[in-house]
Amino acid sequence: MRPSWVESANHPETDFPVENLPFGIYEGDGAGRIGLAIGDRILDLACCADMGLLERLPGSVVRACRRGGDLNQLAARGSAAGRQVRRRAAELLTNPEYREKLAPTMVAQKDVRMLPPFRVCDYTDFYASIHHATNVGRLFRPDNPLMPNYKYVPVGYHGRASSIVVSGETVRRPRGQLMSPEAAAPVYMPTRALDYELEMGIFVAEGNELGQPIPLERAEERMFGMCLVNDWSARDMQSWEYQPLGPFLAKSFATTVSPWVVMLDALAPFRAPAYARPEGDPAPLGYLSSEVDRERGGFDVQLEAWLWTARMRELDQPPARVSRGNLRTLYWTPAQMLTHQTSNGCNTRPGDLLATGTVSGAQADSVGCLLERTKRGAEPLELPNGERRGFLEDGDEVILRAWCEREGYSRIGFGECRGVVEAAG
C-alpha cells in the first residue's frame, strides 16, 4: 500500500488508491479530457503532458494523452501504453515534489460530468454465468435448463453499440411488441417487465486483424481494462421476439457502462483460478484451454446491485441492496471470451466492448437480475420500506458497484454504474 499526497487516495474505503488509477474521460473546457481517478480527484493527463511530466513516455502515447475525447487512440497503442502511463502517474502522485505543481490542475470528481470512456464500434454480450443460464433456462425449460452447447461454447450475441451510455444518464422505458399468453395477437406498448443486468465489461486494446484469431495465451495482452455494465432488458419484449435469432429490441434501447476503466495490472493481486468445472463437465476445447488460464484466468471481484426508488429518495431513505455476487462464478473467463470471439477470424478494434452477461451466484441473493430473483415477477421482491418489485418501475434508480479486497493490499474499486428509469415517451 503506497501513500499519495492526494489525501483522499489514502482512505481505506476509497475505490481509487494510487494502486488503481483507472482511466476515464471527463468534460473540461467543453471537450472530453483523459483523466486518472485518484481518491476523489482527477489527474488530467493533458496537463501533465503540457508540463513536460510525461517526457519519459513514447511520443505517440503522449500525443494520445493530449488528444482526449475518448480512450481509443491510447488503447490502439496496446495495453502496454496504459501501463506506462499508470506507472508514470503513480510516480507523480506519490512524490511530494509534484504536489505544488499538479494539485491546482486537479478537479473533484463530483464537480465534473463524465463521458463514455470509449467510442465503442462493436459490442458483444456473453452469457458466461452458468448459474444465470441455469436459473433462466429453468424458468422456461424446467426439465432441460441448459442448452447442449453451453458447456462447450462461450455463448454471446451482437449488441447495439450506438445505445451505450455512461453512468448517470437516464434510461427511457422502451416500447415494443408484447404478447400475452391469452391474446391472439401482440400489442405495441411500453414494457411492463423492465429489468437490470449486473455485468462486467472488458474493453479491447489494439485488437486483431481480420482472419487472425487471438490465441488464449495472448488474449489478456489485447485487453485494455474492465468496467461495470448494466445491460437493461425488457423481459416481456424479449420473450416474444427472441426466437429464432436471439435478443433484439428488448436489449438495444440502452446499455449503461461505468465511467472508469480499471486496468488488469491493478487487479493482479486479486487474480483467481478459473471456475472449477464439476466432475462430468466436458473440458474446454483445445483453443479455449491453457494451464495459465485455469490457474489465474478468473478475478475475485465483489459485485453489488442496489435499488433506490423514487419514494426512498423523496423520504431521504438509503437505497436497498438487492444482489451481491462475485465474478469468480463465471463459467468462462474473460480471456476465453475474447479468444472465442476471434476464433473464426473475426477482427476486433480498439474500444470494442465484451460484456460477461449477467453475473449470478448459487444463492438467491446473489443473482444479478430481477428475472431470476422474482421468478419472472411471480414472487416480487420486498424492499426494506415495504415497497415491492417484480420488475423496475418508473423513477427507480439502479446502482451497480464492484471492488476487490484482500488483506495486505489496497482496495481496488470500479466506482458506480447508475441509471434512473424514465417513463416511456
Side-chain angles (χ1 to χ4, degrees), residues 338-353:
L338 180 56
T339 290
H340 184 67
Q341 168 88 37
T342 66
S343 62
N344 66 342
C346 172
N347 58 319
T348 58
R349 292 168 289 185
D352 280 4
L353 176 63

Side-chain angles (χ1 to χ4, degrees), residues 96-144:
E97 294 180 8
Y98 296 105
R99 179 172 190 163
E100 184 176 351
K101 180 177 288 190
L102 284 175
T105 71
M106 300 176 78
V107 296
Q109 293 176 31
K110 66 180 180 62
D111 293 336
V112 298
R113 175 174 173 247
M114 297 301 296
L115 304 175
F118 281 93
R119 185 180 68 260
V120 179
C121 294
D122 274 304
Y123 162 45
T124 302
D125 196 24
F126 283 89
Y127 201 43
S129 169
I130 192 168
H131 298 294
H132 173 64
T134 302
N135 291 338
V136 172
R138 191 173 287 126
L139 291 173
F140 297 92
R141 301 178 303 276
D143 298 328
N144 187 28

Side-chain angles (χ1 to χ4, degrees), residues 208-239:
N208 61 300
E209 296 295 328
L210 184 65
Q212 299 295 320
I214 299 175
L216 186 63
E217 60 270 18
R218 306 296 298 273
E220 289 193 1
E221 298 173 13
R222 305 300 181 97
M223 299 177 188
F224 190 81
M226 300 175 69
C227 71
L228 278 161
V229 173
N230 184 350
D231 190 41
W232 305 84
S233 298
R235 300 301 188 184
D236 42 8
M237 292 167 57
Q238 183 178 358
S239 65

